[in-house]
Amino acid sequence: MSIRLIDRYLDGFVSEKELSEMNGKALLALKTVLDGSGKGSDFLGWRALPDVPDKNEFARILSAAERIRKQCDVLVVIGIGGSYLGARAAIEYCQGLNRNALVKDGPQILFAGKDLSAATVCETLRLIEGKDVCLNVISKSGTTTEPAVAFRIFKEWMEEKYGDGAAERIYVTTDKARGKLKELSDTMGYETFVVPDDVGGRFSVLSPVGLLPIACAGIDVNEMLEGAREAKAKFSQATSVFENDCLKYAAIRNVLLGKGKSTEILASYEPALGSTAEWWKQLYGESEGKGKNGIFPASVTFTTDLHSLGQFIQDGTPRHFETVIDLLDPGYRIEVPYDEKNSDGLNFIALKQLHDVNRTAFAATAMAHTDGGVPNIVLEVSGRSAHDFGMLVYFFELACAVSGYILGVNPFDQPGVEAYKKNMFALLGKPGAEFDALRASLSEKMK
Ligand code: PA5
């Protein structure tokens, strides 16, 4: 089980000299992360999460997960951004996109509160009709609009179905003391789990935010944390960008940004990694995109997207590079059948493993894209175990923090996400003088 950075497809894009020049900055950035001396240092709690800093909370999570797995047919996880992306990524990474149809022991897992779509809510309500349901509401602030609205709707549904018994089926992950959700939980007697003060949403998958839903899905969270611990031990070594692949990834990204490559496309050849890419986009987008700086994180799933975005990646405006997750073992084996008549002309790949065909598509694409001027970083990952996922999470989190410090930003704040919220609250008529003034000016603009 491992993660390895392969630089074969960076020839001609990133030289050894450029990497050496970035080495000092990368080592300083790593030191800043490890000794907590940089910007946003009050949000470095994620570094300790693999070591399970709160054993008591961890034991409560495991016992709640066991109870939920017996209590319900469907667990609805309500949260947005960092409060759901990591759990969804883990579940799909380890169990696949069709896990709700294929996994027979334990509940189906549905996600709500991640948008304001009436269709999402109504379809989810249809999906839970006649089923036994538990809710896990996750919101650090306890005031985020999307999960709060969804919770209102699902809570009402639960109370209609279970009466007072609803409280035993509602599990809340929020701040230890503050926020409306915490107040409500204390009043109603919901079991609560704590989002640590020093862990931001996008770095919270290894905290109770991710652990409870992931454990409910039947994934071994101990194994996931062990993977994260292994990555932490391996990639925290202050050696050099030539020996530490996590530092190397952070350094290469910044070298490429310096050459005008301002978009990074995370590619994989496994649809089950699509949500991992969504989680990664939030991690890097919110951490680096500030002060008119940063690399725009995008993602694709190949080979599917080779038939839609392949043209642009190969030949469009040359401002991007790719980071390809090369998954060595997808967890399944199937051969392309031999056909006596060869009516489709495919016998040249007959009896090959489909996964080998997929990996050949990867090699072919990497060579074509690099010929087209698109650098490819390759991250080789062993498989789809909880351990692999844990390693990948810590690798990306640490690299993100290091990369953010190389860039000179505070990787742990997100001032930019407040602007739309203020406008939305003003337009929706939220009470308060600040919103009244804003509403007037926005209404003027909308005329
Ligand atoms: O990373 C972040 O901080 C955000 O994506 C939050 O997780 C997201 O906005 C949800 O916030 P909250 O958990 O307070 O509801």
Side-chain angles (χ1 to χ4, degrees):
M1 281 174 255
S2 65
I3 299 175
R4 236 164 29 114
L5 190 150
I6 311 287
D7 57 11
R8 178 183 307 142
Y9 301 108
L10 290 167
D11 264 5
F13 297 109
V14 178
S15 68
E16 198 160 318
K17 182 165 171 285
E18 286 164 328
L19 263 187
S20 298
E21 282 164 6
M22 196 53 85
N23 187 47
K25 280 189 184 176
L27 283 171
L28 180 61
L30 177 66
K31 181 177 174 298
T32 310
V33 176
L34 297 182
D35 68 17
S37 59
K39 293 177 193 162
S41 57
D42 41 349
F43 280 97
L44 285 168
W46 56 272
R47 295 172 312 175
L49 293 176
D51 307 317
V52 193
D54 190 337
K55 305 275 184 294
N56 186 33
E57 181 88 338
F58 186 65
R60 281 201 313 115
I61 288 170
L62 295 187
S63 101
E66 212 172 297
R67 206 171 331 123
I68 291 169
R69 283 172 61 76
K70 290 189 188 125
Q71 241 175 348
C72 65
D73 309 310
V74 182
L75 170 68
V76 181
V77 178
I78 299 177
I80 195 165
S83 288
Y84 93 101
L85 282 164
R88 186 171 195 160
I91 292 168
E92 291 181 6
Y93 186 101
C94 298
Q95 299 182 327
L97 292 178
N98 297 307
R99 65 91 51 199
N100 279 346
L102 294 176
V103 173
K104 293 295 172 221
D105 59 326
Q108 295 190 351
I109 315 273
L110 301 178
F111 291 91
K114 56 184 176 38
D115 51 51
L116 288 169
S117 155
T120 306
V121 171
C122 294
E123 284 170 17
T124 310
L125 287 170
R126 285 176 65 189
L127 285 171
I128 62 176
E129 224 170 81
K131 303 260 173 68
D132 270 321
V133 174
C134 286
L135 302 183
N136 178 203
V137 192
I138 309 167
S139 176
K140 185 177 182 183
S141 62
T143 55
T144 307
T145 313
E146 293 88 340
V149 170
F151 184 40
R152 228 186 224 220
I153 294 168
F154 285 95
K155 178 170 159 295
E156 184 181 77
W157 187 95
M158 297 287 283
E159 285 167 353
E160 267 170 28
K161 181 164 171 125
Y162 298 110
D164 289 346
E168 286 158 28
R169 294 172 167 272
I170 297 176
Y171 298 83
V172 173
T173 311
T174 190
D175 188 88
K176 67 176 183 307
R178 283 169 309 212
K180 295 252 182 274
L181 194 53
K182 175 64 182 158
E183 280 169 33
L184 181 71
S185 304
D186 289 347
T187 313
M188 302 298 290
Y190 304 147
E191 178 158 13
T192 57
F193 301 93
V194 176
V195 188
D197 282 343
D198 56 358
V199 177
R202 60 188 174 275
F203 284 87
S204 69
V205 53
L206 304 177
S207 81
V209 169
L211 292 177
L212 181 58
I214 295 169
C216 288
I219 294 167
D220 187 338
V221 288
N222 271 306
E223 197 188 312
M224 180 174 80
L225 291 168
E226 197 185 297
R229 273 196 297 279
E230 194 179 317
K232 179 178 174 178
K234 184 169 179 186
F235 298 119
S236 301
Q237 306 278 339
T239 47
S240 80
V241 296
F242 299 103
E243 288 149 289
N244 179 335
D245 280 348
C246 187
L247 290 187
K248 188 170 187 174
Y249 173 56
I252 292 170
R253 298 175 79 248
N254 281 281
V255 170
L256 291 171
L257 177 62
K259 296 179 167 191
K261 300 287 187 189
S262 56
T263 296
E264 177 176 12
I265 304 172
L266 189 74
S268 92
Y269 285 72
E270 290 298 332
L273 271 59
S275 284
T276 300
E278 293 305 314
W279 166 83
W280 171 90
K281 284 196 276 195
Q282 189 208 3
L283 181 64
Y284 281 77
E286 273 191 4
S287 299
E288 292 190 325
K290 48 199 73 161
K292 308 294 172 217
N293 211 336
I295 298 171
F296 182 78
S299 68
V300 289
T301 300
F302 291 154
T303 60
T304 311
D305 291 331
L306 288 172
H307 298 258
S308 56
L309 291 167
Q311 169 63 36
F312 191 100
I313 296 172
Q314 176 79 40
D315 209 18
T317 330
R319 295 200 192 108
H320 50 275
F321 64 97
E322 288 170 285
T323 296
V324 185
I325 299 182
D326 179 21
L327 188 70
L328 298 183
D329 179 2
Y332 289 100
R333 291 174 65 78
I334 186 164
E335 249 175 24
V336 179
Y338 178 76
D339 177 3
E340 198 70 44
K341 292 195 190 113
N342 197 20
S343 37
D344 52 11
L346 276 184
N347 269 358
F348 69 100
I349 54 167
L351 307 184
K352 279 192 198 293
Q353 281 294 320
L354 184 55
H355 185 57
D356 291 339
V357 177
N358 201 19
R359 293 197 65 231
T360 306
F362 152 56
T365 306
M367 286 185 273
H369 287 184
T370 47
D371 282 348
V374 180
N376 270 225
I377 303 170
V378 178
L379 296 176
E380 195 183 85
V381 180
S382 330
R384 289 176 54 200
S385 67
H387 188 282
D388 291 313
F389 183 78
M391 278 199 92
L392 199 58
V393 161
Y394 204 86
F395 175 91
F396 276 137
E397 288 183 346
L398 183 58
C400 180
V402 169
S403 183
Y405 282 145
I406 294 177
L407 200 59
V409 301
N410 174 356
F412 305 112
D413 66 358
Q414 55 283 329
V417 297
E418 293 309 314
Y420 96 89
K421 287 187 196 167
K422 281 192 191 141
N423 285 354
M424 181 175 75
F425 289 144
L427 292 173
L428 286 171
K430 188 169 180 169
E434 115 181 75
F435 298 117
D436 292 342
L438 186 56
R439 191 175 311 120
S441 88
L442 292 174
S443 305
E444 198 51 43
K445 273 191 199 167
M446 286 170 80
K447 269 184 192 160

Coordinates of all heavy atoms in Angstrom, one line a residue, residues 123-164:
E123 N -36.8 14.2 -4.1 CA -36.5 12.9 -4.6 C -35.9 12.1 -3.4 O -36.2 10.9 -3.3 CB -35.4 13.0 -5.7 CG -36.1 13.4 -7.0 CD -35.1 13.7 -8.1 OE1 -33.9 13.4 -8.0 OE2 -35.5 14.3 -9.1
T124 N -35.2 12.7 -2.5 CA -34.7 12.0 -1.4 C -35.8 11.6 -0.5 O -35.9 10.5 0.1 CB -33.7 12.9 -0.6 OG1 -32.7 13.4 -1.5 CG2 -32.9 12.1 0.5
L125 N -36.8 12.5 -0.3 CA -38.0 12.1 0.5 C -38.7 10.9 -0.2 O -39.2 10.0 0.5 CB -39.0 13.3 0.6 CG -38.5 14.4 1.5 CD1 -39.4 15.6 1.4 CD2 -38.5 13.9 3.0
R126 N -38.7 10.9 -1.5 CA -39.4 9.7 -2.2 C -38.6 8.4 -1.9 O -39.1 7.4 -1.7 CB -39.5 10.0 -3.7 CG -40.6 10.9 -4.0 CD -40.6 11.3 -5.5 NE -40.9 10.1 -6.3 CZ -40.8 10.1 -7.6 NH1 -40.4 11.2 -8.3 NH2 -41.2 9.0 -8.3
L127 N -37.2 8.6 -1.9 CA -36.4 7.4 -1.7 C -36.5 6.8 -0.3 O -36.3 5.6 -0.1 CB -34.9 7.8 -1.9 CG -34.5 8.0 -3.4 CD1 -33.1 8.6 -3.5 CD2 -34.5 6.6 -4.2
I128 N -36.9 7.7 0.7 CA -36.9 7.1 2.1 C -38.4 6.7 2.4 O -38.6 6.2 3.6 CB -36.4 8.1 3.1 CG1 -37.2 9.4 3.1 CG2 -34.9 8.4 2.8 CD1 -36.7 10.4 4.2
E129 N -39.3 6.9 1.5 CA -40.7 6.5 1.8 C -40.8 5.1 2.3 O -40.2 4.2 1.6 CB -41.5 6.7 0.6 CG -42.8 7.4 0.8 CD -43.5 7.7 -0.6 OE1 -44.1 6.8 -1.2 OE2 -43.3 8.9 -1.0
G130 N -41.4 4.8 3.4 CA -41.6 3.4 3.9 C -40.4 2.8 4.5 O -40.4 1.6 4.8
K131 N -39.3 3.6 4.6 CA -38.0 3.0 5.1 C -37.8 3.5 6.5 O -38.3 4.5 6.9 CB -36.9 3.5 4.2 CG -37.0 3.2 2.8 CD -36.2 1.9 2.4 CE -36.4 1.4 1.0 NZ -35.8 2.3 0.0
D132 N -37.0 2.7 7.2 CA -36.5 3.2 8.5 C -35.3 4.1 8.3 O -34.4 3.6 7.6 CB -36.2 2.0 9.5 CG -37.5 1.6 10.3 OD1 -38.2 2.5 10.7 OD2 -37.7 0.4 10.4
V133 N -35.3 5.2 8.9 CA -34.3 6.3 8.6 C -33.6 6.8 9.9 O -34.2 6.9 10.9 CB -35.0 7.4 7.9 CG1 -34.1 8.6 7.6 CG2 -35.6 7.0 6.6
C134 N -32.3 7.1 9.7 CA -31.6 7.9 10.7 C -31.0 9.1 10.0 O -30.8 9.0 8.8 CB -30.5 7.1 11.3 SG -31.0 5.8 12.5
L135 N -30.8 10.2 10.7 CA -30.2 11.3 10.2 C -28.8 11.6 10.9 O -28.7 11.4 12.1 CB -31.0 12.6 10.4 CG -32.5 12.6 9.9 CD1 -33.1 14.0 10.2 CD2 -32.5 12.4 8.4
N136 N -27.8 12.0 10.1 CA -26.6 12.5 10.7 C -26.5 13.9 10.1 O -26.2 14.1 8.9 CB -25.4 11.7 10.3 CG -24.1 12.2 10.9 OD1 -23.0 11.9 10.4 ND2 -24.1 13.0 11.9
V137 N -26.8 14.9 10.9 CA -26.7 16.3 10.5 C -25.3 16.8 10.9 O -24.9 16.7 12.0 CB -27.7 17.2 11.2 CG1 -27.8 18.6 10.5 CG2 -29.1 16.5 11.2
I138 N -24.6 17.4 9.9 CA -23.2 17.8 10.1 C -23.1 19.3 9.7 O -23.2 19.7 8.6 CB -22.2 17.0 9.3 CG1 -22.5 15.5 9.5 CG2 -20.8 17.3 9.7 CD1 -21.8 14.6 8.5
S139 N -22.8 20.1 10.7 CA -22.5 21.5 10.4 C -21.7 22.1 11.6 O -22.2 22.1 12.7 CB -23.8 22.3 10.3 OG -23.6 23.7 10.1
K140 N -20.5 22.5 11.2 CA -19.6 23.0 12.3 C -20.2 24.3 12.9 O -20.3 24.5 14.1 CB -18.2 23.3 11.7 CG -17.2 23.8 12.8 CD -15.9 24.0 12.2 CE -14.9 24.4 13.4 NZ -13.6 24.7 12.9
S141 N -20.7 25.2 12.0 CA -21.2 26.5 12.5 C -22.6 26.3 13.0 O -23.1 27.0 13.9 CB -21.3 27.5 11.3 OG -22.1 27.0 10.3
G142 N -23.3 25.3 12.5 CA -24.7 25.1 12.9 C -25.7 26.1 12.3 O -26.8 26.1 12.7
T143 N -25.2 26.9 11.4 CA -26.0 27.9 10.8 C -26.0 28.0 9.3 O -26.7 28.8 8.7 CB -25.6 29.3 11.3 OG1 -24.2 29.5 10.9 CG2 -25.7 29.6 12.8
T144 N -25.4 27.0 8.7 CA -25.3 27.1 7.2 C -26.7 26.8 6.6 O -27.3 25.9 7.0 CB -24.2 26.0 6.7 OG1 -23.0 26.3 7.4 CG2 -24.0 26.2 5.2
T145 N -27.0 27.6 5.6 CA -28.4 27.6 5.1 C -28.8 26.3 4.5 O -29.9 25.8 4.9 CB -28.6 28.7 4.0 OG1 -28.0 29.9 4.5 CG2 -30.0 29.0 3.7
E146 N -28.0 25.7 3.6 CA -28.4 24.5 2.9 C -28.7 23.4 3.9 O -29.8 22.8 3.8 CB -27.4 24.1 1.9 CG -27.2 25.1 0.7 CD -26.2 26.2 1.0 OE1 -25.9 26.5 2.1 OE2 -25.8 26.9 0.0
P147 N -27.8 23.0 4.8 CA -28.1 21.9 5.7 C -29.2 22.3 6.7 O -30.0 21.4 7.0 CB -26.8 21.6 6.4 CG -25.9 22.8 6.1 CD -26.3 23.4 4.9
A148 N -29.3 23.5 7.1 CA -30.3 23.9 8.0 C -31.7 23.8 7.4 O -32.6 23.3 8.1 CB -30.1 25.4 8.5
V149 N -31.8 24.2 6.1 CA -33.2 24.0 5.5 C -33.5 22.5 5.3 O -34.6 22.1 5.6 CB -33.1 24.7 4.1 CG1 -34.4 24.3 3.3 CG2 -33.0 26.2 4.2
A150 N -32.5 21.7 4.9 CA -32.8 20.3 4.7 C -33.1 19.7 6.0 O -34.0 18.8 6.1 CB -31.5 19.6 4.1
F151 N -32.4 20.1 7.1 CA -32.7 19.4 8.4 C -34.1 19.7 8.8 O -34.8 18.9 9.4 CB -31.6 19.9 9.4 CG -31.8 19.3 10.8 CD1 -32.1 17.9 10.9 CD2 -31.7 20.0 11.9 CE1 -32.3 17.3 12.1 CE2 -31.8 19.4 13.2 CZ -32.1 18.0 13.3
R152 N -34.5 21.0 8.6 CA -35.9 21.3 9.0 C -36.9 20.4 8.3 O -37.8 19.9 9.0 CB -36.2 22.7 8.5 CG -36.9 23.6 9.5 CD -37.3 24.9 8.9 NE -36.9 25.9 9.8 CZ -37.6 27.0 10.0 NH1 -38.7 27.2 9.4 NH2 -37.2 27.9 10.9
I153 N -36.7 20.1 7.0 CA -37.6 19.3 6.3 C -37.5 17.8 6.7 O -38.6 17.2 7.0 CB -37.3 19.4 4.8 CG1 -37.6 20.8 4.3 CG2 -38.1 18.4 4.0 CD1 -37.1 21.2 2.9
F154 N -36.3 17.3 6.9 CA -36.2 15.9 7.3 C -36.5 15.6 8.7 O -37.0 14.6 9.1 CB -34.8 15.4 7.0 CG -34.6 15.1 5.5 CD1 -34.0 16.1 4.7 CD2 -35.0 14.0 4.9 CE1 -33.9 15.9 3.3 CE2 -34.9 13.7 3.5 CZ -34.3 14.7 2.7
K155 N -36.3 16.6 9.6 CA -36.7 16.5 11.0 C -38.2 16.4 11.1 O -38.7 15.6 11.8 CB -36.1 17.8 11.7 CG -36.4 17.9 13.2 CD -35.6 19.0 13.8 CE -36.2 19.6 15.0 NZ -37.5 20.2 15.0
E156 N -38.9 17.3 10.3 CA -40.3 17.2 10.4 C -40.8 15.8 9.9 O -41.7 15.2 10.5 CB -40.9 18.3 9.4 CG -42.4 18.4 9.4 CD -42.9 19.5 8.4 OE1 -42.9 19.2 7.2 OE2 -43.2 20.6 8.9
W157 N -40.2 15.3 8.9 CA -40.6 14.0 8.4 C -40.3 12.9 9.5 O -41.2 12.0 9.7 CB -39.7 13.7 7.1 CG -40.0 12.4 6.4 CD1 -40.8 12.3 5.3 CD2 -39.6 11.1 6.7 NE1 -40.9 11.0 4.9 CE2 -40.1 10.2 5.7 CE3 -38.7 10.5 7.6 CZ2 -39.8 8.8 5.7 CZ3 -38.5 9.1 7.6 CH2 -39.0 8.3 6.6
M158 N -39.2 13.0 10.1 CA -38.9 12.0 11.2 C -39.9 12.1 12.4 O -40.3 11.1 12.9 CB -37.5 12.3 11.7 CG -36.3 12.2 10.7 SD -36.0 10.5 10.3 CE -35.1 9.9 11.8
E159 N -40.2 13.4 12.7 CA -41.1 13.5 13.9 C -42.5 13.0 13.5 O -43.2 12.5 14.4 CB -41.1 15.0 14.3 CG -39.8 15.3 15.1 CD -39.6 16.8 15.3 OE1 -40.3 17.6 14.8 OE2 -38.6 17.1 16.0
E160 N -42.9 13.2 12.3 CA -44.2 12.7 11.9 C -44.2 11.2 11.9 O -45.2 10.5 12.3 CB -44.6 13.1 10.4 CG -45.4 14.4 10.4 CD -45.5 15.0 9.0 OE1 -45.5 14.3 8.1 OE2 -45.7 16.3 9.0
K161 N -43.1 10.6 11.5 CA -43.0 9.1 11.5 C -42.8 8.5 12.8 O -43.4 7.5 13.2 CB -41.9 8.7 10.5 CG -41.8 7.2 10.4 CD -41.0 6.8 9.1 CE -40.7 5.3 9.2 NZ -41.1 4.6 8.0
Y162 N -41.9 9.1 13.6 CA -41.5 8.4 14.9 C -41.9 9.1 16.1 O -41.6 8.6 17.2 CB -39.9 8.3 14.9 CG -39.4 7.4 13.8 CD1 -38.6 8.0 12.7 CD2 -39.6 6.1 13.7 CE1 -38.1 7.3 11.7 CE2 -39.0 5.3 12.7 CZ -38.3 5.9 11.7 OH -37.8 5.1 10.7
G163 N -42.5 10.3 16.0 CA -42.9 11.0 17.2 C -41.7 11.4 18.1 O -40.6 11.7 17.5
D164 N -41.8 11.1 19.4 CA -40.7 11.4 20.3 C -39.5 10.5 20.0 O -38.3 10.9 20.3 CB -41.1 11.2 21.7 CG -42.1 12.3 22.2 OD1 -42.2 13.4 21.5 OD2 -42.7 12.1 23.2

